[in-house]
């Protein structure tokens, strides 16, 4: 079993990148069913961050105005824009922004199973994450799903602080449309990639009954997968207690650590669903007129409320997985799929040496397996 040292070294070099990229994550937290909304904070304030023409409702308003509720027939969560009120000038329309109470550290992966996502002229929906406790963008932001107006596809990307020196370099991804590579960029534009799957947004997304978005937040880099419902891999189910990223295929978007020190650019992420109207992304004329006519606020927000009949999220579940062994232990109390939302994951500690061990341990295991093969 004594191989020349250089052969061993070559094997390690060949195997190292593979074993770092594929990882197994264990379930630590599920947001679903009747208690979905219990684990999120409602913004309860007008949109002062994305500058949209909306008031984000409180939890109480969400219930009373039926803008945020769990559909008793499907057990899925609906988050919507008010589509029943004629809003007078210069007021704003009611909508929903919710942020997860728990944040999720580097070494996490989250799955969002969504049947319908908001779309329409003036509509800017997103499922994203940021470090609520840090000054933006110092804690980093990950945009898993972002749509605008009637654009045919969604986009995804990262926003980081300039001093983090983060950019997208040599991605392994399905998308052929990279918009920007500097994750800071002018006006915090971020490093954005178009989701080139034609079913990633709008009416096409809805017709396919949506699908699943998966976000991997790892030291080796950040990756985002998207599957239409009919293409969801068999390893990705609501009941899955773990996810091995080698079963997921090539991600739609990928930001490897070679171009972005994840621990430097990111802090633990709070998950967010937003539907705003107009604002910094949907309103600018050069973007608005690509797919819509008239003026964003004047001709849409304060006109026919039925323009917002499709401006809602219909979410089956969001489930978070982790490589952190101390977080994993608590999954025993979180595993019952249908009832969901236990709080077991609060044991999730941020012990970096634990995580490193997981990554490094897999290298010698694979190497010794390879050596055994060579001995045959
Ligand atoms: C649930 O289904 C019943 C029967 O089809 C229907 O009458 C009711 O409106 C549905 N409830 C919701 C909230 O969609
Ligand atoms: C990204 O590039 C595509 C293709 O050129 C374009 O359609 C899209 O509007 C761009 N996205 C942004 C945010 O500029
Ligand atoms: C509002 O949107 C919902 C779908 O979210 C739809 O069922 C309803 O018919 C729409 N219109 C009114 C007036 O509620
Ligand atoms: C982190 O994990 C290591 C190894 O298991 C342990 O020795 C150390 O005490 C832990 N540190 C904290 C802060 O939990």
């Amino acid at each position: 079993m004594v191989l020349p040292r250089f052969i061993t070294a070559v094997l390690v070099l060949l195997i190292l990148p593979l074993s770092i990229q594929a990882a197994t994550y264990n379930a630590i937290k599920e947001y679903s069913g009747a208690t979905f909304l219990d684990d999120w904070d409602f913004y309860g304030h007008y949109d002062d961050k994305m500058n949209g023409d909306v008031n984000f409702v409180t939890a109480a308003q969400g219930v009373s105005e039926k803008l945020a509720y769990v559909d008793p027939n499907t057990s899925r969560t609906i988050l919507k824009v008010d589509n029943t009120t004629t809003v007078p000038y210069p007021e704003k329309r009611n909508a929903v922004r919710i942020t997860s109470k728990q944040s999720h550290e580097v070494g996490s992966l989250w799955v969002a199973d969504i049947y319908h996502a908001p779309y329409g002229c003036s509509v800017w929906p997103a499922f994203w994450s940021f470090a609520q406790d840090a000054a933006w963008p110092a804690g980093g932001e990950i945009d898993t799903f972002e749509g605008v107006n009637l654009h045919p596809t969604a986009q995804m990307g990262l926003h980081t602080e300039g001093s983090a020196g983060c950019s997208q370099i040599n991605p392994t991804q399905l998308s052929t449309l990279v918009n920007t590579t500097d994750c800071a960029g002018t006006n915090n534009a971020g490093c954005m990639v178009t989701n080139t799957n034609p079913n990633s947004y709008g009416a096409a997304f809805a017709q396919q009954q949506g699908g699943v978005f998966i976000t991997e937040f790892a030291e080796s880099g950040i990756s985002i997968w998207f599957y239409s419902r009919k293409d969801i891999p068999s390893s990705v189910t609501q009941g899955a207690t773990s996810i091995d990223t080698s079963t997921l295929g090539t991600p739609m978007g990928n930001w490897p650590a070679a171009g972005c020190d994840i621990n430097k650019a990111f802090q633990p992420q709070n998950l967010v669903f937003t539907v705003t109207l107009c604002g910094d992304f949907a309103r600018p004329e050069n973007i608005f007129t690509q797919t819509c006519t008239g003026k964003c606020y004047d001709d849409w927000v304060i006109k026919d409320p039925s323009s917002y009949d499709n401006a809602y999220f219909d979410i089956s579940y969001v489930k978070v997985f982790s490589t952190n062994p101390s977080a994993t232990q608590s999954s025993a109390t979180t595993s019952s799929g249908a009832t969901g939302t236990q709080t077991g994951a609060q044991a999730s500690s941020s012990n970096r040496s634990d995580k490193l061990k997981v990554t490094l341990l897999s290298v010698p295991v694979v190497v010794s397996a390879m050596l055994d093969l060579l001995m045959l």
Side-chain angles (χ1 to χ4, degrees):
M1 188 67 206
V2 179
L3 275 179
R5 213 164 259 263
F6 78 92
I7 294 188
T8 312
V10 166
L11 282 173
V12 168
L13 284 177
L14 283 175
I15 291 159
L16 198 57
L18 287 176
S19 61
I20 283 179
Q21 275 182 11
T24 296
Y25 292 82
N26 296 302
I28 58 162
K29 176 73 182 168
E30 181 173 327
Y31 305 87
S32 68
T35 55
F36 183 102
L37 289 167
D38 297 353
D39 292 332
W40 305 74
D41 291 319
F42 282 72
Y43 201 68
H45 191 279
Y46 74 87
D47 182 4
D48 54 348
K49 294 292 194 305
M50 298 173 286
N51 302 309
D53 293 309
V54 301
N55 290 310
F56 289 126
V57 295
T58 61
Q61 275 177 297
V63 172
S64 66
E65 297 176 23
K66 291 204 159 39
L67 298 182
Y69 60 92
V70 177
D71 183 320
N73 291 346
T74 62
S75 293
R76 303 199 300 248
T77 298
I78 307 293
L79 306 174
K80 58 187 294 204
V81 173
D82 174 3
N83 67 332
T84 61
T85 307
T86 300
V87 174
Y89 176 88
E91 315 243 304
K92 300 169 190 292
R93 188 170 287 282
N94 285 354
V96 178
R97 170 177 170 147
I98 57 170
T99 305
S100 68
K101 292 181 177 170
Q102 193 177 331
S103 62
H104 299 288
E105 61 188 355
V106 176
S108 303
L109 172 150
W110 45 91
V111 178
D113 184 309
I114 302 174
Y115 275 74
H116 187 283
Y119 65 94
C121 288
S122 75
V123 179
W124 172 13
F127 172 58
W128 53 291
S129 69
F130 77 122
Q132 184 162 235
D133 298 331
W136 190 88
E141 172 183 325
I142 306 172
D143 297 336
T144 297
F145 161 82
E146 188 172 28
V148 68
N149 300 317
L150 292 176
H151 206 274
T153 50
Q155 66 171 22
M156 61 194 82
L158 313 180
H159 297 270
T160 62
E161 195 165 59
S163 62
C166 179
S167 59
Q168 191 191 35
I169 295 175
N170 293 331
T172 302
Q173 65 185 18
L174 294 178
S175 174
T176 49
L177 256 177
V178 173
N179 288 75
T180 45
T181 55
D182 179 351
C183 302
T186 313
N187 299 323
N188 295 112
C191 44
M192 305 306 291
V193 167
T194 294
N195 186 330
T196 44
N197 185 320
N199 298 325
S200 61
Y201 181 56
F205 180 86
Q207 271 155 21
Q208 300 292 317
Q209 297 193 74
V212 158
F213 293 92
I214 302 179
T215 310
E216 183 185 28
F217 177 39
E219 280 179 350
S220 60
I222 290 171
S223 297
I224 295 172
W225 288 261
F226 168 67
Y227 310 94
S228 253
R229 190 153 302 282
K230 64 176 173 20
D231 301 324
I232 298 173
S234 57
S235 57
V236 180
T237 62
Q238 186 172 357
T241 54
S242 67
I243 289 197
D244 174 354
T245 55
S246 71
T247 65
L248 301 180
T250 305
M252 179 57 70
N254 171 240
W255 294 262
C260 184
D261 181 338
I262 304 299
N263 285 316
K264 189 173 171 191
F266 290 87
Q267 288 173 34
Q269 299 280 295
N270 294 85
L271 312 183
V272 192
F273 283 96
T274 46
V275 202
T276 193
L277 303 178
C278 303
D280 297 333
F281 189 26
R283 183 193 292 114
E285 204 179 338
N286 63 325
I287 293 175
F288 192 72
T289 55
Q290 278 179 19
T291 55
C292 295
T293 57
K295 290 254 189 295
C296 194
Y297 176 79
D298 297 358
D299 296 315
W300 298 90
V301 178
I302 57 173
K303 289 279 160 61
D304 187 356
S306 73
S307 300
Y308 300 102
D309 286 359
N310 281 309
Y312 68 95
F313 277 108
D314 179 349
I315 305 157
S316 176
Y317 69 92
V318 174
K319 193 159 176 173
V320 183
F321 297 76
S322 172
T323 54
N324 185 336
S326 56
T328 306
Q329 282 168 7
S330 64
S331 70
T333 59
T334 348
S335 56
S336 61
T339 52
T341 18
Q342 281 89 349
T343 50
Q346 271 145 16
S348 157
S349 76
S350 53
N351 189 328
R352 188 140 295 147
S353 57
D354 278 351
K355 280 179 297 178
L356 271 178
K357 234 170 25 193
V358 174
T359 311
L360 296 177
L361 264 180
S362 60
V363 175
V365 170
V366 178
V367 169
S368 80
M370 289 289 286
L371 291 177
D372 285 348
L373 273 179
L374 286 175
M375 295 308 285
L376 288 178

